[in-house]
PDB file of all heavy atoms in Angstrom:
ATOM      1  N   PHE A 434      35.366   0.863  -9.799  1.00  0.00           N
ATOM      2  CA  PHE A 434      34.399   0.671 -10.806  1.00  0.00           C
ATOM      3  C   PHE A 434      33.717  -0.764 -10.614  1.00  0.00           C
ATOM      4  O   PHE A 434      32.505  -0.840 -10.703  1.00  0.00           O
ATOM      5  CB  PHE A 434      35.115   0.746 -12.099  1.00  0.00           C
ATOM      6  CG  PHE A 434      34.146   0.146 -13.309  1.00  0.00           C
ATOM      7  CD1 PHE A 434      32.992   0.801 -13.657  1.00  0.00           C
ATOM      8  CD2 PHE A 434      34.501  -1.075 -13.827  1.00  0.00           C
ATOM      9  CE1 PHE A 434      32.326   0.326 -14.783  1.00  0.00           C
ATOM     10  CE2 PHE A 434      33.795  -1.537 -14.885  1.00  0.00           C
ATOM     11  CZ  PHE A 434      32.594  -0.945 -15.341  1.00  0.00           C
ATOM     12  N   VAL A 435      34.452  -1.769 -10.444  1.00  0.00           N
ATOM     13  CA  VAL A 435      33.937  -3.038 -10.174  1.00  0.00           C
ATOM     14  C   VAL A 435      33.067  -3.146  -9.037  1.00  0.00           C
ATOM     15  O   VAL A 435      31.956  -3.723  -9.073  1.00  0.00           O
ATOM     16  CB  VAL A 435      34.991  -4.112 -10.168  1.00  0.00           C
ATOM     17  CG1 VAL A 435      34.554  -5.557  -9.728  1.00  0.00           C
ATOM     18  CG2 VAL A 435      35.940  -4.244 -11.435  1.00  0.00           C
ATOM     19  N   ALA A 436      33.463  -2.660  -7.857  1.00  0.00           N
ATOM     20  CA  ALA A 436      32.625  -2.627  -6.714  1.00  0.00           C
ATOM     21  C   ALA A 436      31.400  -1.866  -6.862  1.00  0.00           C
ATOM     22  O   ALA A 436      30.301  -2.200  -6.408  1.00  0.00           O
ATOM     23  CB  ALA A 436      33.491  -2.044  -5.508  1.00  0.00           C
ATOM     24  N   ARG A 437      31.440  -0.720  -7.542  1.00  0.00           N
ATOM     25  CA  ARG A 437      30.308   0.060  -7.831  1.00  0.00           C
ATOM     26  C   ARG A 437      29.290  -0.663  -8.720  1.00  0.00           C
ATOM     27  O   ARG A 437      28.097  -0.741  -8.416  1.00  0.00           O
ATOM     28  CB  ARG A 437      30.602   1.416  -8.504  1.00  0.00           C
ATOM     29  CG  ARG A 437      29.343   2.207  -8.933  1.00  0.00           C
ATOM     30  CD  ARG A 437      29.704   3.437  -9.541  1.00  0.00           C
ATOM     31  NE  ARG A 437      30.490   3.342 -10.841  1.00  0.00           N
ATOM     32  CZ  ARG A 437      29.963   3.106 -11.977  1.00  0.00           C
ATOM     33  NH1 ARG A 437      28.556   2.763 -12.032  1.00  0.00           N
ATOM     34  NH2 ARG A 437      30.633   2.997 -13.073  1.00  0.00           N
ATOM     35  N   ARG A 438      29.671  -1.315  -9.742  1.00  0.00           N
ATOM     36  CA  ARG A 438      28.882  -2.067 -10.555  1.00  0.00           C
ATOM     37  C   ARG A 438      28.223  -3.161 -10.010  1.00  0.00           C
ATOM     38  O   ARG A 438      26.964  -3.495 -10.045  1.00  0.00           O
ATOM     39  CB  ARG A 438      29.648  -2.550 -11.774  1.00  0.00           C
ATOM     40  CG  ARG A 438      29.944  -1.366 -12.860  1.00  0.00           C
ATOM     41  CD  ARG A 438      28.609  -0.863 -13.493  1.00  0.00           C
ATOM     42  NE  ARG A 438      27.943  -1.840 -14.271  1.00  0.00           N
ATOM     43  CZ  ARG A 438      26.720  -2.021 -14.200  1.00  0.00           C
ATOM     44  NH1 ARG A 438      25.845  -1.261 -13.316  1.00  0.00           N
ATOM     45  NH2 ARG A 438      26.070  -2.918 -14.954  1.00  0.00           N
ATOM     46  N   ARG A 439      28.893  -3.985  -9.204  1.00  0.00           N
ATOM     47  CA  ARG A 439      28.288  -5.059  -8.438  1.00  0.00           C
ATOM     48  C   ARG A 439      27.310  -4.543  -7.432  1.00  0.00           C
ATOM     49  O   ARG A 439      26.298  -5.268  -7.223  1.00  0.00           O
ATOM     50  CB  ARG A 439      29.382  -5.899  -7.611  1.00  0.00           C
ATOM     51  CG  ARG A 439      30.204  -6.763  -8.728  1.00  0.00           C
ATOM     52  CD  ARG A 439      30.841  -7.984  -7.946  1.00  0.00           C
ATOM     53  NE  ARG A 439      31.701  -7.492  -6.841  1.00  0.00           N
ATOM     54  CZ  ARG A 439      33.095  -7.610  -6.843  1.00  0.00           C
ATOM     55  NH1 ARG A 439      33.744  -8.137  -7.954  1.00  0.00           N
ATOM     56  NH2 ARG A 439      33.776  -7.276  -5.830  1.00  0.00           N
ATOM     57  N   SER A 440      27.564  -3.505  -6.817  1.00  0.00           N
ATOM     58  CA  SER A 440      26.630  -2.879  -5.819  1.00  0.00           C
ATOM     59  C   SER A 440      25.231  -2.486  -6.596  1.00  0.00           C
ATOM     60  O   SER A 440      24.257  -2.764  -6.157  1.00  0.00           O
ATOM     61  CB  SER A 440      27.181  -1.696  -5.186  1.00  0.00           C
ATOM     62  OG  SER A 440      28.433  -2.093  -4.375  1.00  0.00           O
ATOM     63  N   GLU A 441      25.479  -1.704  -7.659  1.00  0.00           N
ATOM     64  CA  GLU A 441      24.285  -1.263  -8.513  1.00  0.00           C
ATOM     65  C   GLU A 441      23.386  -2.383  -8.997  1.00  0.00           C
ATOM     66  O   GLU A 441      22.214  -2.376  -8.927  1.00  0.00           O
ATOM     67  CB  GLU A 441      24.707  -0.462  -9.627  1.00  0.00           C
ATOM     68  CG  GLU A 441      25.334   0.888  -9.286  1.00  0.00           C
ATOM     69  CD  GLU A 441      25.982   1.608 -10.453  1.00  0.00           C
ATOM     70  OE1 GLU A 441      26.276   0.954 -11.452  1.00  0.00           O
ATOM     71  OE2 GLU A 441      26.103   2.824 -10.328  1.00  0.00           O
ATOM     72  N   LYS A 442      24.094  -3.602  -9.340  1.00  0.00           N
ATOM     73  CA  LYS A 442      23.322  -4.729  -9.824  1.00  0.00           C
ATOM     74  C   LYS A 442      22.532  -5.523  -8.674  1.00  0.00           C
ATOM     75  O   LYS A 442      21.650  -6.232  -9.007  1.00  0.00           O
ATOM     76  CB  LYS A 442      24.234  -5.696 -10.546  1.00  0.00           C
ATOM     77  CG  LYS A 442      24.811  -4.981 -11.795  1.00  0.00           C
ATOM     78  CD  LYS A 442      25.952  -5.905 -12.576  1.00  0.00           C
ATOM     79  CE  LYS A 442      25.222  -7.206 -13.094  1.00  0.00           C
ATOM     80  NZ  LYS A 442      26.132  -7.933 -13.936  1.00  0.00           N
ATOM     81  N   SER A 443      23.122  -5.261  -7.505  1.00  0.00           N
ATOM     82  CA  SER A 443      22.457  -6.122  -6.386  1.00  0.00           C
ATOM     83  C   SER A 443      21.502  -5.282  -5.537  1.00  0.00           C
ATOM     84  O   SER A 443      20.674  -5.933  -4.904  1.00  0.00           O
ATOM     85  CB  SER A 443      23.603  -6.605  -5.431  1.00  0.00           C
ATOM     86  OG  SER A 443      24.163  -5.496  -4.856  1.00  0.00           O
ATOM     87  N   VAL A 444      21.442  -3.960  -5.696  1.00  0.00           N
ATOM     88  CA  VAL A 444      20.495  -3.109  -5.120  1.00  0.00           C
ATOM     89  C   VAL A 444      19.497  -2.665  -5.977  1.00  0.00           C
ATOM     90  O   VAL A 444      19.803  -2.094  -7.070  1.00  0.00           O
ATOM     91  CB  VAL A 444      21.201  -1.984  -4.342  1.00  0.00           C
ATOM     92  CG1 VAL A 444      20.107  -1.042  -3.617  1.00  0.00           C
ATOM     93  CG2 VAL A 444      22.208  -2.361  -3.355  1.00  0.00           C
TER      94      VAL A 444
END
Side-chain angles (χ1 to χ4, degrees):
F434 165 72
V435 171
R437 174 179 64 79
R438 285 295 297 133
R439 286 205 300 251
S440 300
E441 289 172 340
K442 293 176 70 174
S443 63
V444 180

